[in-house]
Structure formats: C-alpha cells, structure tokens
Amino acid sequence: MFYTALIEELINALRCLPGIGPKSAQRMAFYLLEQGKTNGLVLARTLEEALTTIGRCKRCRTFSEFDLCPMCSNPKRDSSLLCVVETPADIVAIEQTNCYQGLYFVLMGHLSPIDGIGPNELGLTDLMALLTNSNIRETILATNPTVEGEATAHYLANIIRPKNVKCTRIAYGIPMGGELDYIDSNTLARALKGRLEVTE
Amino acid sequence: MFYTALIEELINALRCLPGIGPKSAQRMAFYLLEQGKTNGLVLARTLEEALTTIGRCKRCRTFSEFDLCPMCSNPKRDSSLLCVVETPADIVAIEQTNCYQGLYFVLMGHLSPIDGIGPNELGLTDLMALLTNSNIRETILATNPTVEGEATAHYLANIIRPKNVKCTRIAYGIPMGGELDYIDSNTLARALKGRLEVTE
C-alpha cells in the first residue's frame, strides 16, 4: 500500500479521535513525523498517563485523578447549591460564565432507554444519597434543552422534589444577540411563557 | 481552574495536533476519558513507537521504519522513472490515481530562502547522486503549482537537464469536472498553451 505498516497503524490509531477521518488522520501522522516529534512524544506519554490514572470524582462523578475533584474539595464553593449537568464539558461552560459558585453533579449522559441508559447508569442513587447526606437546599437542573435532556430533567425533578430540596431548571428563552425574526417559534413561545416582570 | 492538572495537561498535549484548537482538544480529551480508553491507549503506544522508530527511506526520503521504504524496495516498480514530490502525502495522492508505476523522491518541502530552506534542506545532493548512480531516464517534477512549487520545479529542471535525464513537469490545465466559466484565467491560459492535438 501507500504507507509502511507502522505509518498505517499510526493513521488508524489517530482515527479513534472524535471528528478525525482518514484524510485528517494522515495529515496528523505526517505532521507529527515531520515537525511534531517532541510534542507528539509528550502527547503519547500524557495520554497514557491520563488514561491510566484519571477516574471519577467520588462525589460529583466528573473526571479526576483524585478521589475528590478540585471543585468538590474546594471549601470556598457554596455546598448548598448543586447543579446537575450531563457532561464534564458542561461544567466548563458554566464555570466560564463566572456566575455560579455551587457544586456540580455530572450524569455522564442522559436518560435513553433505547441505549440502555437508565437511572442506574446516570448515578442517580449516588445523587439521592448526596441529597440526603448533605446540606443542599437547591438543585439546579442544567441538562441540555433537547428531548432527552428535557426528559431527564423531568425525571430528576420528580425524584428530587420529595426530598424537600428546592428544584429549579435553567431558563428557556431567547439567546443573547439573536434576532426575534430568526428564532424558532418553540423557543420564542418559551420566552413568552417564561417572561419576568421588569423591575428597576 | 475548570480541570484537574492532568486533564489540563492532556488537553494541552492534544493541541499539538494540526488543526486542533482548545475546544476540539477538550472534546477529544473528554471523549477519550469517557468512551475511548482502549483506543486511546492504543494511540498512545502506537504514537510513541512510530515517533521513535520511523525515520526516512535512504533512497527517496519518505517516512519509513525500514532503511528502504516498501516502494523503493519493490522490484516490480519501474526504476527508470522518478517522480519528485514535495511531501509523502503527495505520494499517496499520486498512488491513488493508479497511473504511475515508477519511483519517487520526496523533497520534504519546497525552496523557501526566507525560511532558510535551500537545496541542502531538500536533499538535492542525494537526488543528484541518485540520478548519476541509477538507470533513471525520466524525472517527473510534481511539485505543487504554487509560487514556491513552481520555483522549485524550475530550479530542479535546471540542475537535472545537464545530467542527460529527460525532465518533465506534470500538466497544467483545467481540472476535470470544472466549468470553464468559473476557472481562473491563469489556469485557462495555461490550458490553452498546453493544448494537445486530438488523435483518435
């Protein structure tokens, strides 16, 4: 074929990365071989170390090489607030707003019976135990506004409310910088329904 | 910050890949941690092996873990034809046409005095030695039709011709499937200039 066996192996291995097809993988392989050797070796070693060391935070289920992630072990965070998100990437997005000081709980997915993902796979037993054994007074449901995310939020609300913990859902509405004219009617309907009184 | 130290290291390491910015690197890291552990470890090991083992073919300068690449050591290839290309990726592109059975010589770049890339960096001494010590009767210049690629082809033609080796350049012209109406006039001018007589 066009490559030696080892180059072909490298190209195939690179294709495990999300969004990388055969052409990008070839480009990456040649790039690494030509001018990225040092960085490539750092990547190889970091990847090996990360994948063998990093597990889950015992409390919030996010990725962490420690038993408790830096967020859960930070005494400055408000432990009375718990934000439930689908993925660790959602934590990053929320942290970047600089508007939230509470803790998180990561479902690592959403309810999807067709894929065999039920309450157990999302760690809801852990979540319930957490709500019982801590001083959490509000749970913010921040799953995605997709069909599955909505269903998951609905299910969560139903099991959280009996615990006497306030349960809120992040607001639906018009995204900042959008134009009403171009916003889908579903979103606009939600924005109208969720209108707030204008106070000073 | 938003990540543990090791996750941040992994994200930074992934950014050494071409075309991968901070967002894609984060996506890749989380993906590998969540569902790509096995493949990720294969990638880490293959990358390490490839980057420490793969060097250059002694004859054509392409990447290879052997002294001679599979192409150069294949007795079925026509050793009287030599195609000069800029990168190993160009070999793949030409091989995919299934129209060429000769050997290759890889410059690993093009002449670019501003970046300090002169004849020595492109291995032209090796190329000259190859032309002297083998039965090559035609050299096909297949550098890119860019300013630098053209300059390189011109330079190569000037040093190859005195060796009494036929020196050809791949044809300029209209790409298949294009529309004359939309082709730049430079290309169209070249297509006219390079017209061939229609024979049966």
Side-chain angles (χ1 to χ4, degrees):
Chain A
M1 275 296 292
F2 319 137
Y3 317 107
T4 65
L6 191 52
I7 296 178
E8 191 150 3
E9 246 178 74
L10 176 60
I11 292 174
N12 286 335
L14 283 164
R15 289 192 57 189
C16 80
L17 297 171
I20 301 305
K23 192 87 183 176
S24 307
Q26 179 195 300
R27 182 170 158 239
M28 285 179 171
F30 285 149
Y31 172 86
L32 289 169
L33 287 167
E34 198 183 336
Q35 41 185 304
K37 270 206 175 161
T38 324
N39 290 335
L41 284 173
V42 171
L43 172 59
R45 281 151 202 172
T46 312
L47 192 57
E48 171 123 26
E49 191 193 345
L51 292 181
T52 46
T53 320
I54 294 174
R56 300 286 180 84
C57 169
K58 283 221 161 79
R59 192 176 183 282
C60 76
R61 297 181 16 114
T62 196
F63 296 123
S64 170
E65 65 264 36
F66 314 110
D67 270 3
L68 278 184
C69 73
M71 211 93 70
C72 285
S73 54
N74 182 349
K76 286 185 186 149
R77 308 278 312 192
D78 181 353
S79 63
S80 69
L81 279 174
L82 188 77
C83 182
V84 183
V85 293
E86 292 188 23
T87 65
D90 297 334
I91 296 187
V92 178
I94 293 178
E95 284 298 297
Q96 279 167 346
T97 67
N98 262 322
C99 269
Y100 180 72
Q101 285 299 319
L103 297 175
Y104 292 93
F105 186 86
V106 184
L107 302 172
M108 290 285 178
H110 45 237
L111 288 177
S112 178
I114 214 164
D115 303 312
I117 300 176
N120 282 337
E121 284 68 30
L122 301 182
L124 299 195
T125 327
D126 298 354
L127 177 59
M128 289 303 111
L130 193 61
L131 292 177
T132 310
N133 307 322
S134 64
N135 62 341
I136 293 163
R137 58 173 173 77
E138 180 177 349
T139 312
I140 302 169
L141 303 178
T143 53
N144 290 327
T146 55
V147 176
E148 297 87 354
E150 288 297 305
T152 309
H154 187 76
Y155 183 92
L156 285 169
N158 279 340
I159 59 171
I160 291 171
R161 266 190 318 240
K163 291 265 175 193
N164 282 324
V165 173
K166 190 175 163 190
C167 187
T168 56
R169 174 86 171 111
I170 49 170
Y172 306 98
I174 47 170
M176 301 304 294
E179 291 183 52
L180 285 201
D181 208 12
Y182 285 91
I183 284 166
D184 65 296
S185 51
N186 214 339
T187 301
L188 200 51
R190 291 294 204 131
L192 282 167
K193 236 164 130 184
R195 68 188 178 277
L196 296 172
E197 197 177 342
V198 182
T199 50
E200 258 180 294
Chain B
M1 274 295 293
F2 319 138
Y3 317 107
T4 65
L6 190 53
I7 296 177
E8 191 151 2
E9 246 177 76
L10 176 60
I11 292 174
N12 285 336
L14 283 164
R15 290 191 57 190
C16 80
L17 298 170
I20 301 304
K23 192 87 184 178
S24 307
Q26 178 194 300
R27 180 169 159 241
M28 285 179 171
F30 285 149
Y31 172 86
L32 289 169
L33 287 167
E34 200 183 334
Q35 40 186 306
K37 271 206 175 163
T38 324
N39 289 337
L41 284 174
V42 171
L43 172 59
R45 281 152 203 172
T46 313
L47 192 56
E48 171 123 26
E49 193 193 344
L51 292 181
T52 46
T53 319
I54 294 174
R56 300 284 180 84
C57 169
K58 282 221 162 80
R59 192 176 185 281
C60 74
R61 297 183 15 115
T62 195
F63 296 123
S64 170
E65 66 264 37
F66 314 109
D67 270 3
L68 277 185
C69 72
M71 211 93 66
C72 286
S73 54
N74 182 349
K76 286 187 187 150
R77 309 275 316 189
D78 180 352
S79 63
S80 69
L81 278 174
L82 187 76
C83 181
V84 183
V85 294
E86 292 188 22
T87 65
D90 297 333
I91 295 187
V92 177
I94 293 178
E95 284 298 297
Q96 279 168 346
T97 67
N98 262 323
C99 270
Y100 180 71
Q101 286 298 319
L103 298 175
Y104 292 93
F105 186 85
V106 184
L107 301 172
M108 290 285 177
H110 45 238
L111 287 178
S112 178
I114 214 164
D115 302 313
I117 299 174
N120 282 336
E121 284 68 29
L122 301 182
L124 299 195
T125 326
D126 298 354
L127 178 60
M128 288 304 111
L130 193 61
L131 292 178
T132 310
N133 307 320
S134 62
N135 61 340
I136 294 163
R137 58 173 172 79
E138 180 178 350
T139 312
I140 302 169
L141 303 177
T143 54
N144 290 327
T146 56
V147 176
E148 296 88 353
E150 287 298 306
T152 309
H154 188 75
Y155 183 91
L156 286 169
N158 280 340
I159 58 170
I160 292 171
R161 266 189 319 237
K163 291 265 176 195
N164 282 324
V165 173
K166 189 174 163 191
C167 187
T168 56
R169 174 87 172 111
I170 49 169
Y172 308 97
I174 47 170
M176 302 305 293
E179 292 182 51
L180 285 201
D181 207 12
Y182 286 91
I183 285 167
D184 65 296
S185 50
N186 213 341
T187 301
L188 200 51
R190 291 292 204 133
L192 283 167
K193 237 165 127 184
R195 68 190 179 277
L196 296 172
E197 196 177 341
V198 183
T199 49
E200 255 182 296

